[in-house]
Each structure stands twice: as structure tokens, then as C-alpha cells.
Amino acid sequence: MTTETNNPGKTSYPSVNLNLNVRGLTPSATLAINELSAELIAQGRDIFKFGLGQSPFPVPRSVVEALKENAHQKDYLPVKGLRELRDAVAQYHGRKHSIQCTGDNVLVGPGSKELMFLIQLVYYGDLCIPTPSWVSYEPQAHIIGRPVRWLRTQADNNWGLMPAELEELCADDPDRPRLVILNYPHNPTGYSYGKDKLRQLAEVARRYRVVLLSDEIYGELHHAGKHTSIAEYYPEGTIISSGLSKWCGAGGWRLGTFTFPDNLHWLLDAMAAVASETFTATSAPIQFAAIKAFVGGPEIESYLSTSRRILSALGQHCAAKLRDAGLRLGTPDGGFYLFPDFGAFEYELRESGVSSSEELCTHLLDKTGVATVPGSAFGRSKDELTLRLAYVDFDGAEAMRAADALPKEAALDEAFLRRYCSRVTDGIDRLHDWLSSMRPQTSFQLESAVRIRRRA
Ligand code: GLU
């Protein structure tokens, strides 16, 4: 809404009455880098698109067919979602994660991102998120005006949340209502928790009765196919977030799901009430098609195992290459992200005028054409030289066909990756070569670099 300024005799400009929480907000970092990459490519630059985390794989054929068959579905659907889809999602979690639930426990929305916003809108607790964390959790809390508490993590633990860190935060004010978001396989690091760690985290969550939002959107992309939901260990307090975007290659279709335990039904109802006043219902044809994805079957399982096979080989290749170049990072367990730390090059980067993760990304884009997202967008301090890299710039359909033509047990070797994921391997080579060229050349540079590293 606009209002006229009261300034007689002068040109009057409309002034926009912006909510204070939204003033100064800029577009989400993941979407901004995607748009910038597209612009640079249109200008003729050779850009490696490692910014936006979008699945490289096509939507499975049977799911596309289901969408075609349901293009005529034109009616508004129930606000909580199509009954058959809600049932299929509940059965999916029962089958995959041994979760006891029915379609009544499921809420469908236009992307899990939207559902995350709604839960923060209706739930009165603090938002507690580990750092680093996906770029939009914190801005959503900020828009709504909710306090955010960051949970510390360590690079030595692959940036995973340790039970002691959660305990420390909760013990500070034991009865305070909290919404804790746990996300794994992790965006931005690729790390995933083992069963023991999940059990320990679940114990702490139960002791302090936190509402745990388990963002498992990359669960099916656990490289070894060994994803476990923390809802198995804390069923009464865990909401599982999932959707079609990552494992079904359908980010642009916008369909997400939340699965609630019985005793958080009130939260599902409150979110549905807000949904009824905002987006009304998720797109009907997409919901009908999504039934096929969640019901699954041999075609979907084979699609998933090929996706994992490719991502696992590629993730390991990229991580090894970047470590060889001198960066600090772990080998990913799942998903398609890496979160390297350039701290070992602090001296050389400072010499080039780079002292923040944002400057690092801009510099990298300029020098190598590799587009990435700065660590600061994931809640890290501005001067920490970390960034996220999504190894997704390749033709997933072609890579899948080639992998499927090989014997199931054959490893996807470097020759395969260089042939079918060449944009990724080339971009990583560029980074590697650029880092190698930055290594100290003179003894004075070497001494200064050693001094800085000792201090770090
Ligand atoms: N989740 C993806 C990412 O982290 C893209 C979608 C988004 O951020 O909205 O890059």
C-alpha cells in the first residue's frame, strides 16, 4: 500500500509503509547468486553454477507422466492437502523411517520453505539453529520478529551439532519454549548424523521438551542410502520436513510436507488456519503427481540409487581435490554441498584485498568463474573465510543414463566424472589451479603466511 507524502508545492513521492522487520532485507543469497550467474552467462562469461542448490537430475519419468495425466485437475484442494497424498506421505515415513502415523499427521504446502515460515509464525518459541545453517531459517525468523539463538558447532566435528551444545543452550533457561531445527544431510556441509549421535540429541531434546523440526529434505540423498530420522528416537516431539525438491528433482514444482506427531496436532491446525488465509492450497496437479513419488516403487528406488551413486562419487572427488589444494573440509555423507574453509590462504587472500566470505565469493567469481554462496549467509561470522559450493552443474539425465549402462557394482571413476560431470570437475580444477597459483612464492611471503596461520 502507498501513501502520498504531505509536501505541498514539491513533487510528491509515494512512500511505502514497510514493516520494520522487512526494511533492509535483500533477496535470499541462494536465489541472488543464481540470478547473478544467469546474468553473467547472458553477458558471455563462462560461469560454473555452484551457487543455487538445485537437483541436477530430472523428475522420474512416472512422476512426470502422473503430472501430465493430472493437468486437468483444476479445483481448489483441501488446505491441509489432498487426502491420498497425505496418506502416501504417512506411509512413506512408515516404510522408510518406521514412523507410526496416518495422513492426519501430514500437512502439504507449496514447498517446505513456506511451511517453515508458517511454523515460525504460529509457534511462540525461540528459533534455535546450529551455525552454519541453510540461508533462509534466520531471515524467516527475522521477518516474523522471532528471537534467534545460534547453536555453536565445530569444524572438527564436521560442523555437526553436538548434544553438549544443545544441552548448554537449553539448560540456560530449561522451561523456555524452543523450536530447534536439525537438518541432515546438511545444507551447507553435506554432513549427516549417525544413529548414536541422533539418539543422544533426541535425549536432550526430550529432557527440555523442545519442538524439533527435522529438515530431512536431503534424506533420500544420503550417499550410502542410510538416512535415519531422529523421529525414530524422539517421536513425540519431532516434526519431519520433506518434499519433492531435492530427491525427486522437482524444486520448481514447489511441494513440501511436514509430518507431525499426534501431540503437536494443534500446531498443524494452526498452520493450516494461516495457510487457508494465505496460499489456500498447494497446486492441484502437482499434488496428484506427488502421490506417485511418495508411493514409490522399483523405478523410484532405482532412480534414487543412481542419484546417490553419482553424487557420492562426485562429492568425494571434489572434496579430495579441494583438500589437495589446501582447503579444509570434510567428505560429504549426503546431498550435494561442500563447505570449504579457506583459512589456510588468509594471508594470500588479504594481500588481494579479501577479508570476508562475501569478498571471497566475489573474488572467486571474478578470478575463476566459480559461483558460490558466502559462509556469512549461513550464519558464520563475516570474516571467516568459508563458502558453500553446490556440485550440481551437470546434465543429470545424461549422467544417469551413462551410470545405468554400467554394471551396478562398477565404481564411477574419475574418467566417468570428467566425461559426464565435466562442468563440476572443470570448475573444481579451476579452483585448484587458482589456489595453487596463490601459494607463497617468496620466503618473505612464506614467513608472513606462517605467522598468520599460527595466530589463526
Ligand atoms: N535450498 C536450495 C539452496 O540452499 C535452493 C532453494 C532455496 O534456497 O530457496 O540453495
Side-chain angles (χ1 to χ4, degrees):
M1 188 189 287
T2 60
T3 51
E4 293 300 307
T5 51
N6 185 11
N7 195 359
K10 298 236 173 97
T11 315
S12 65
Y13 298 97
S15 72
V16 179
N17 192 3
L18 266 184
N19 175 332
L20 278 183
N21 296 335
V22 175
R23 202 160 72 181
L25 210 68
T26 51
S28 175
T30 50
L31 304 176
I33 187 67
N34 198 40
E35 284 169 25
L36 176 63
S37 302
E39 260 172 49
L40 293 173
I41 290 169
Q43 287 165 20
R45 288 266 326 259
D46 184 21
I47 299 297
F48 297 92
K49 292 176 74 182
F50 299 172
L52 181 69
Q54 166 157 276
S55 166
F57 302 115
V59 180
R61 196 192 39 80
S62 60
V63 183
V64 173
E65 286 308 315
L67 181 61
K68 286 186 193 159
E69 282 158 23
N70 284 286
H72 65 281
Q73 302 285 358
K74 62 166 199 51
D75 290 345
Y76 293 114
L77 294 182
V79 60
K80 290 179 183 171
L82 181 64
R83 169 50 62 180
E84 272 172 278
L85 174 59
R86 295 171 74 202
D87 289 345
V89 173
Q91 281 155 21
Y92 164 87
H93 287 303
R95 196 169 71 237
K96 297 261 178 175
H97 311 122
S98 321
I99 309 296
Q100 302 304 317
C101 60
T102 71
D104 288 338
N105 299 84
V106 176
L107 179 64
V108 178
S112 53
K113 193 172 188 172
E114 183 63 26
L115 295 178
M116 279 166 192
F117 185 71
L118 288 194
I119 197 171
Q120 295 193 57
L121 194 67
V122 302
Y123 186 63
Y124 45 83
D126 289 2
L127 176 72
C128 305
I129 34 178
T131 158
S133 265
W134 175 54
V135 300
S136 290
Y137 302 135
E138 192 267 343
Q140 288 190 347
H142 181 77
I143 292 167
I144 295 164
R146 288 252 175 261
V148 174
R149 296 289 308 271
W150 291 101
L151 285 149
R152 272 196 312 257
T153 66
Q154 312 287 341
D156 287 347
N157 297 324
N158 288 322
W159 305 104
L161 175 63
M162 293 297 111
E165 303 287 4
L166 183 59
E167 169 79 41
E168 192 187 321
L169 181 118
C170 294
D172 186 40
D173 185 354
D175 295 322
R176 202 174 171 88
R178 295 185 174 92
L179 175 69
V180 174
I181 303 187
L182 195 69
N183 161 234
Y184 65 99
H186 190 215
N187 178 2
T189 67
Y191 171 74
S192 199
Y193 298 89
K195 287 182 193 288
D196 283 349
K197 199 61 83 211
L198 290 174
R199 247 187 239 115
Q200 292 162 12
L201 287 165
E203 265 171 39
V204 181
R206 174 172 295 120
R207 198 171 320 131
Y208 294 98
R209 296 180 304 281
V210 305
V211 174
L212 192 63
L213 177 58
S214 188
D215 180 355
E216 302 182 21
I217 192 110
Y218 299 93
E220 290 286 14
L221 297 181
H222 187 289
H223 293 171
K226 293 211 167 110
H227 179 74
T228 303
S229 176
I230 193 167
E232 277 187 39
Y233 307 120
Y234 182 39
E236 72 277 23
T238 303
I239 301 163
I240 308 176
S241 173
S242 184
L244 295 184
S245 300
K246 310 302 179 186
W247 61 265
C248 199
W253 287 19
R254 309 310 301 133
L255 184 131
T257 64
F258 270 18
T259 302
F260 295 76
D262 285 339
N263 52 326
L264 291 180
H265 226 287
W266 60 272
L267 207 46
L268 188 161
D269 287 337
M271 287 171 67
V274 181
S276 75
E277 303 291 8
T278 51
F279 62 78
T280 305
T282 305
S283 156
I286 301 292
Q287 289 202 57
F288 279 96
I291 297 170
K292 183 81 208 155
F294 282 99
V295 165
E299 184 213 340
I300 305 271
E301 285 310 315
S302 152
Y303 166 94
L304 288 172
S305 92
T306 309
S307 307
R308 292 176 194 133
R309 199 171 164 211
I310 297 169
L311 292 175
S312 166
L314 191 56
Q316 286 178 42
H317 169 87
C318 297
K321 198 88 193 160
L322 295 178
R323 267 198 301 267
D324 180 65
L327 300 186
R328 184 180 190 203
L329 76 163
T331 301
D333 299 311
F336 35 64
Y337 302 115
L338 297 172
F339 194 66
D341 181 348
F342 287 64
F345 291 87
E346 186 180 345
Y347 169 76
E348 294 82 356
L349 288 166
R350 270 187 202 281
E351 290 282 283
S352 308
V354 171
S355 54
S356 70
S357 57
E358 259 188 57
E359 286 166 359
L360 173 62
C361 289
T362 310
H363 192 65
L364 210 65
L365 187 59
D366 187 39
K367 296 287 174 197
T368 65
V370 173
T372 54
V373 182
S376 56
F378 299 87
R380 304 303 302 169
S381 76
K382 286 188 189 324
D383 58 359
E384 180 185 275
L385 296 174
T386 49
L387 54 78
R388 187 193 78 177
L389 184 158
Y391 46 97
V392 295
D393 189 359
F394 62 97
D395 181 342
E398 199 194 0
M400 274 189 149
R401 271 193 301 276
D404 285 340
L406 295 172
K408 285 268 172 283
E409 56 293 347
L412 301 180
D413 58 11
E414 189 169 336
F416 177 95
L417 300 175
R418 291 202 174 276
R419 175 150 182 209
Y420 296 104
C421 310
S422 60
R423 292 296 299 164
V424 175
T425 53
D426 288 356
I428 294 291
D429 284 349
R430 285 253 189 119
L431 248 168
H432 184 279
D433 294 349
W434 175 68
L435 288 165
S436 303
S437 74
M438 272 204 314
R439 290 224 170 92
Q441 309 291 324
T442 66
S443 54
F444 174 73
Q445 284 176 332
L446 189 63
E447 272 166 31
S448 310
V450 168
R451 228 178 302 120
I452 286 202
R453 273 168 209 151
R454 273 208 198 107
R455 252 188 279 132

